[in-house]
Amino acid sequence: MKHALITGITGQDGSYLAELLLEKGYEVYGIMRRKSVVDYGNVEHIKDKIHFIYADMTDPVSLITAMKISQADEVYNLAAQSFVATSWEQPLATANIDALGVTNMLEAIRIVKPEARFYQASTSEMFGKVQAIPQSETTPFYPRSPYGVAKLYGHWITKNYRESYDLFACSGILFNHESERRGKEFVTRKITDAAARIKLGKQECVELGNLSAKRDWGHSKDYVKAMWLMLQADAPDDYVVATGETRTVREFVETAFRHLDINIKWEGEGVDEKGIDEATGKVVVRVNPQFFRPAEVELLLGDPAKAEEKLGWKREISFSQLVERMVKNDFDLVSKEM
């Protein structure tokens, strides 16, 4: 029986990955930060099947202890300050967790069990101001946020430890991936939650930022399969995981509202833009300059050819299915509140 250690196990990706590994017969260990109130987050439903270890990405000693306890054969580093907007408000905390935290975890592996296989959650935000379309493993990086910069350090230190210490260390450059378990601070979940509340009369309007920003959106459940496949390969490498399709935030809004039979027409441009429900004539979407980033990432589009060819990975949940699942889940959640 293989042992796996997952940092960030209570988050969106951590929970789907834990489910996948449990299905495959792994002994699963998860790192949690100690809080005054225990919060199992997205793994509440499987908490009795997981061995939890209290540790912190900024505390190397605790990570060494976690490696000794788990004796992990595979380590998946999904812990991060993962909200781009917050990284401008907390740049040092973001760097400590998303950059130096990766080094702490790699050091713990090197000291305790150097034969363990390591997965680092890199991100398409490292491409930022894109230098090529689509973006692949060879596209130059140009991060546009403290989050992207910190993640780029984590990406390169992983490659450095692989080449310097011969660790089996991989980075997955994952493009935007969402799910029903996405936090409400992320724009996709903000949209689907708002659509459900507007449909049920609990909310009148949702305010958003740049509707023209383009993203490559997939489902988290598909993407954690790619993480696992990377650590089953014969040799460590880095892979882009994406759908190869790009959509605007506006398209995401339209798709989400359409699933609830709300058709939107748009009026105005830029900060004056409004989305109006064709049936009622009411404004249901409004652009607010407050939600624009200091440095915007306009277009992200990944090329997953390498992952598809070398790992045999493919996504199974389409963009429309992703949005429909999120909307249905939020509609059910809001209905229970009433």
Side-chain angles (χ1 to χ4, degrees), residues 4-6 16-28 74 76 228 232:
L5 177 64
I6 304 173
Y16 282 114
L17 178 61
E19 288 174 348
L20 176 67
L21 296 179
L22 287 169
E23 288 172 6
K24 293 183 178 297
Y26 281 66
E27 197 78 15
V28 177
E74 297 174 5
Y76 296 86
W228 177 78
Q232 313 315 307

Side-chain angles (χ1 to χ4, degrees), residues 66-257:
M67 280 300 299
K68 289 179 178 178
I69 293 172
S70 67
Q71 286 299 306
D73 302 294
E74 297 174 5
V75 178
Y76 296 86
N77 183 37
L78 311 184
Q81 189 301 100
S82 58
F83 193 39
V84 175
T86 299
S87 74
W88 274 287
E89 299 166 1
Q90 300 178 14
L92 296 182
T94 301
N96 283 331
I97 299 167
D98 297 7
L100 297 182
V102 184
T103 312
N104 292 336
M105 190 73 251
L106 285 164
E107 274 293 286
I109 293 170
R110 188 178 70 85
I111 292 168
V112 178
K113 194 173 181 180
E115 67 271 24
R117 298 189 169 198
F118 176 74
Y119 171 83
Q120 165 60 14
S122 291
T123 170
S124 58
E125 288 286 333
M126 300 186 310
F127 292 117
K129 188 175 180 180
V130 298
Q131 304 299 293
I133 301 172
Q135 295 90 54
S136 71
E137 294 81 4
T138 59
T139 303
F141 298 115
Y142 197 136
R144 296 270 283 171
S145 67
Y147 169 76
V149 172
K151 277 291 192 175
L152 185 54
Y153 176 96
H155 178 80
W156 278 109
I157 200 67
T158 298
K159 187 186 293 282
N160 185 262
Y161 268 62
R162 179 169 73 216
E163 296 175 353
S164 300
Y165 298 115
D166 199 29
L167 295 186
F168 194 108
C170 303
S171 284
I173 308 172
L174 272 57
F175 279 64
N176 294 68
H177 49 289
E178 317 297 327
S179 76
E180 305 88 309
R181 300 175 186 175
R182 186 52 120 174
K184 290 184 180 180
E185 69 271 24
F186 290 85
V187 68
T188 49
R189 184 74 193 287
K190 181 179 179 179
I191 291 167
T192 58
D193 177 69
R197 291 181 183 280
I198 290 169
K199 181 67 176 180
L200 291 166
K202 301 279 286 184
Q203 185 173 320
E204 291 186 357
C205 179
V206 60
E207 294 188 339
L208 301 170
N210 184 5
L211 296 177
S212 299
K214 295 179 179 180
R215 295 292 182 269
D216 184 328
W217 276 301
H219 196 289
S220 174
K221 193 169 185 178
D222 284 339
Y223 285 34
V224 299
K225 293 176 186 175
M227 300 176 188
W228 177 78
L229 285 168
M230 288 180 210
L231 297 198
Q232 313 315 307
D234 293 333
D237 207 345
D238 305 324
Y239 297 88
V240 163
V241 181
T243 71
E245 301 172 356
T246 189
R247 316 272 180 166
T248 63
V249 175
R250 183 185 287 101
E251 287 179 89
F252 196 106
V253 170
E254 291 170 345
T255 305
F257 277 73

